[in-house]
Amino acid sequence: MSIDQSRTAADGVSALADRLARLAGQAGVTGADAILISPGPDLEYFLGHSVGSHERLTCLVVPAAGEPALLVPTLERPGWDGTPVESLGIPISTWTDGEDPYRALAAVLPPDARVLAVDYHMPAVHALNAQASVTGAELTLAGEAIAELRMRKSNDEIAALAAAGAAIDRVQLRISEWLRAGRTENQVAADIAQAIVAEGHQRPDFVIVGSGPNGASPHHEASDRVIEPGDVVVIDIGGPMPSGYFSDCTRTYVVAPPDGGQIAADAREVYDLVRRAQAAAVAAVRPGVSAESVDAAARTVIEAAGFGNYFITRTGHGIGLEVHEHPYMVVGNKQVLEPGMAFSVEPGIYLPGRFGVRIEDIVVVGDHGPVLMNTAPTELTIVGAS
Ligand code: ZN
Ligand code: ZN
């Protein structure tokens, strides 16, 4: 987790205080006596600040009843000066190398705390030692309780996602500058990575350039494969903005066929099918429908055309301070969508040994329907024509 002092209004102190109060409420609802949060996106969400996660224990304690407390290593205490923790009035305790950090943790827990809920990112060494520090303690996961808050984005968070979407769209609109036959995937990816930063991101988080058969592997990154005329190329890119909020956008391109030839008929057919499926899933987004119904909207289109066996992923994932978070658009997820939920819609068809096609936009649930965070066109784009 990077440390960013130039926080946006997305993390105003009153918003943080409200999140902490609601998290305490979630602790009560889920039967936890205290929720323990370690460095990472959850800490960032609740305190507007985080630090690197490592073997030294840093832990925010949010009791179901009572006030939050923060425990940090003494050597890192100065780094918390001037952070929202001060304005929030959260007391900071320290432990020093040579002391038992878990004894220090037990000292800031409510005396009668027995059920300790830990965030998804807490290293097992900290979670198990925290449990061992309290006689009779029971360990549970706080991830879903935290997701209840994080998956409902505020207007400031949606503005941050919109800025991320606009930045990554600008990169997608420049792909023809770099993608052409004769270059390797790695060369194209290096140019894209630079542009991701130039267009306003903190850093590139992932740069997938899946040309030809590599595109049939959804999480292929980039390789030394030389791109050939006529290749179908999946470009899936994103990263965190200075706000901490992520972009994530996929477009699939076709490299101009040799000598003015035609694009392979099946490439065009599969592309059009994915495009229709993606549009159908976006159109299905509105308050009151289930997450799995968004997946079904895309899957129905692809299955009807006989390509169901090649749509080997869920349709989407939530996005915010993490690139993958709740809610997931996947069969079996009955989560009812509400205004402010943000997630990707990214159906694909992956033909082993041949090529893949994926189109991905970030969508926010609006009061009456979908609000797109990405507006780069989805028409089939041919690049590298001479
Ligand atoms: Zn993606
Ligand atoms: Zn995605």
Side-chain angles (χ1 to χ4, degrees):
M1 207 63 203
S2 63
I3 302 167
D4 175 32
Q5 303 291 350
S6 61
R7 306 297 312 171
T8 68
D11 305 277
V13 169
S14 64
L16 298 175
D18 180 58
R19 290 171 186 177
L20 285 162
R22 287 192 289 146
L23 184 63
Q26 280 293 321
V29 169
T30 59
D33 296 316
I35 292 180
L36 276 50
I37 296 178
S38 53
D42 292 320
L43 200 65
E44 181 96 18
Y45 181 78
F46 289 107
L47 297 185
H49 184 74
S50 189
V51 293
S53 175
H54 47 66
E55 83 288 357
R56 288 191 177 98
L57 177 69
T58 292
C59 187
L60 171 68
V61 174
V62 180
E67 296 303 315
L70 181 65
L71 177 69
V72 307
T74 301
L75 80 164
E76 293 187 358
R77 176 63 186 81
W80 290 91
D81 288 342
T83 69
V85 177
E86 288 183 339
S87 322
L88 287 163
I90 296 175
I92 302 180
S93 309
T94 58
W95 65 274
T96 304
D97 284 358
E99 294 175 356
D100 180 350
Y102 307 104
R103 187 184 295 255
L105 176 65
V108 297
L109 287 170
D112 54 351
R114 291 296 175 271
V115 180
L116 308 178
V118 301
D119 79 276
Y120 282 158
H121 302 279
M122 182 173 284
V125 63
H126 295 326
L128 294 174
N129 280 319
Q131 181 186 22
S133 73
V134 176
T135 306
E138 181 189 331
L139 207 56
T140 62
L141 286 173
E144 293 201 5
I146 293 169
E148 284 298 316
L149 278 62
R150 282 186 48 190
M151 70 183 170
R152 294 173 177 83
K153 267 67 180 179
S154 67
N155 289 340
D156 286 343
E157 291 182 283
I158 293 166
L161 286 169
I168 207 67
D169 283 351
R170 291 194 293 273
V171 180
Q172 290 284 6
L173 290 170
R174 294 179 56 193
I175 292 297
S176 64
E177 294 177 31
W178 314 300
L179 177 60
R180 57 182 170 271
R183 304 193 79 202
T184 67
E185 292 176 351
N186 281 330
Q187 287 171 330
V188 175
D191 288 336
I192 292 173
Q194 278 192 0
I196 287 173
V197 174
E199 296 294 354
H201 293 79
Q202 282 183 38
R203 59 182 169 82
D205 188 57
F206 51 92
V207 181
I208 294 175
V209 179
S211 67
N214 289 340
S217 170
H219 276 181
H220 168 82
E221 292 226 337
S223 74
D224 284 327
R225 181 180 184 275
V226 176
I227 294 161
E228 297 174 11
D231 273 356
V232 178
V233 186
V234 176
I235 307 266
D236 184 352
I237 53 180
M241 297 289 282
S243 65
Y245 285 78
F246 272 79
S247 64
D248 183 8
C249 179
T250 309
R251 292 292 182 264
T252 300
Y253 301 83
V254 175
V255 178
D259 304 326
Q262 294 295 305
I263 296 171
D266 59 350
R268 192 174 283 281
E269 177 195 354
V270 169
Y271 189 92
D272 289 344
L273 181 58
V274 170
R275 187 166 177 242
R276 276 197 292 125
Q278 202 262 354
V282 169
V285 172
R286 60 182 170 277
V289 305
S290 65
E292 69 173 357
S293 73
V294 176
D295 180 83
R299 208 162 296 278
T300 302
V301 173
I302 290 174
E303 284 177 350
F307 285 89
N309 289 341
Y310 304 103
F311 180 11
I312 54 175
T313 65
R314 64 193 175 208
T315 290
H317 53 82
I319 188 166
L321 289 170
E322 286 174 277
V323 68
H324 288 182
E325 58 181 52
H326 289 285
Y328 293 95
M329 303 300 113
V330 62
V331 63
N333 188 358
K334 313 286 186 199
Q335 173 72 51
V336 174
L337 300 185
E338 297 172 26
M341 290 183 177
F343 46 84
S344 70
V345 174
E346 51 175 309
I349 292 176
Y350 306 96
L351 302 174
R354 306 222 29 236
F355 63 88
V357 173
R358 173 164 71 257
I359 298 172
E360 173 180 28
D361 290 317
I362 303 304
V363 176
V364 171
V365 183
D367 288 340
H368 307 290
V371 181
L372 284 163
M373 300 291 106
N374 297 101
T375 56
T378 59
E379 287 85 2
L380 180 59
T381 303
I382 301 167
V383 298
S386 49

